[in-house]
Amino acid sequence: MVVQSAPVRTISINTGYLRAKRALDITFTLLIAPFVILVGIVVTICIKMNSEGPIFFRQKRIGQNGVEFDMLKFRSMYVNSDQMAHREKILQYMNGQKLNEDSTGNLSYKNVQDPRITKVGRFIRKTSLDELPQFWNVLKGQMSLVGPRPPLPYEVELYTSHEWLRMVGKPGLTGTWQVYGRSRVTFQNMVEMDIEYLEHQSIWNDLKLIILTVPVMVFSRGGA
């Protein structure tokens, strides 16, 4: 008897879409640069007044096709904070466990009340302002405006071949999960959202997700 295995799922990225996506990344980032710089100056002052330490936080992330890069953020934690607690939360999330008993369901998969986060850090995380320095990663070509969020190295070490599919595309500042899911969905739901996004390559969809990100930031949906 011959047992046929299920075909291996693959994703191919259209080169024309990639060129258009890169043009959108550069054009939009340059257009919004004055606003980003102005807000960045205010955030910088607030961070320096609130706690000692550097303005920026560099973190190793895994990008397209498993390539490692340094992702930038505004620092939202106290210096020399223990990272093991965050690693444990990530593992819980990947195993489908809730990180918070939230009655509304909006923050079920978000680690709230983290003592490592500063007062200013809580605000810039809630509004996603801590992510603004990643426009530099976009200009360098390490990230895109829209795409799956770049995972941590120890997270990727646990990926199955199916979960690796979300690494086919360039990681993004925003995306389907950030707009429609964020802290409300499980890890597996996030993976499926990312894979579906990569399978349906559309600049119009990218533009829609960029526009929908604005109210998510303004109203702090799913942020903590």
Side-chain angles (χ1 to χ4, degrees), residues 138-158:
V138 172
L139 284 178
K140 292 179 68 177
Q142 298 166 325
M143 294 179 65
S144 178
L145 292 173
V146 185
R149 285 300 292 165
L152 293 154
Y154 58 76
E155 180 183 336
V156 176
E157 290 175 1
L158 302 175

Side-chain angles (χ1 to χ4, degrees), residues 58-75:
R58 295 176 182 270
Q59 190 176 49
K60 295 292 183 183
R61 294 287 180 125
I62 305 300
Q64 188 175 23
N65 298 321
V67 177
E68 189 176 84
F69 70 99
D70 288 324
M71 189 182 77
L72 287 176
K73 282 188 174 187
F74 279 121
R75 181 177 60 83

Side-chain angles (χ1 to χ4, degrees), residues 152-186:
L152 293 154
Y154 58 76
E155 180 183 336
V156 176
E157 290 175 1
L158 302 175
Y159 275 11
T160 64
S161 57
H162 178 71
E163 290 156 359
W164 253 95
L165 285 174
R166 70 185 298 269
M167 311 296 297
V168 172
K170 193 174 291 186
L173 278 172
T174 189
T176 308
W177 172 78
Q178 293 90 325
V179 171
Y180 298 111
R182 211 173 180 187
S183 306
R184 300 185 296 273
V185 301
T186 65

Side-chain angles (χ1 to χ4, degrees), residues 51-54 56-57 75-85 115-118:
S51 63
E52 295 182 356
F56 300 107
F57 175 67
R75 181 177 60 83
S76 60
M77 293 185 177
Y78 293 104
V79 176
N80 299 322
S81 295
D82 181 15
Q83 297 299 314
M84 284 305 298
R116 302 173 303 160
I117 303 176
T118 66

Side-chain angles (χ1 to χ4, degrees), residues 35-69:
F35 171 77
V36 172
I37 292 172
L38 179 61
V39 175
I41 291 172
V42 176
V43 172
T44 295
I45 294 171
C46 292
I47 291 174
K48 293 300 290 184
M49 291 178 64
N50 182 235
S51 63
E52 295 182 356
I55 300 301
F56 300 107
F57 175 67
R58 295 176 182 270
Q59 190 176 49
K60 295 292 183 183
R61 294 287 180 125
I62 305 300
Q64 188 175 23
N65 298 321
V67 177
E68 189 176 84
F69 70 99

Side-chain angles (χ1 to χ4, degrees), residues 88-100:
E88 290 174 1
K89 291 294 183 180
I90 288 291
L91 294 179
Q92 289 178 27
Y93 177 57
M94 292 181 70
N95 288 326
Q97 300 176 31
K98 289 186 177 181
L99 304 183
N100 175 47

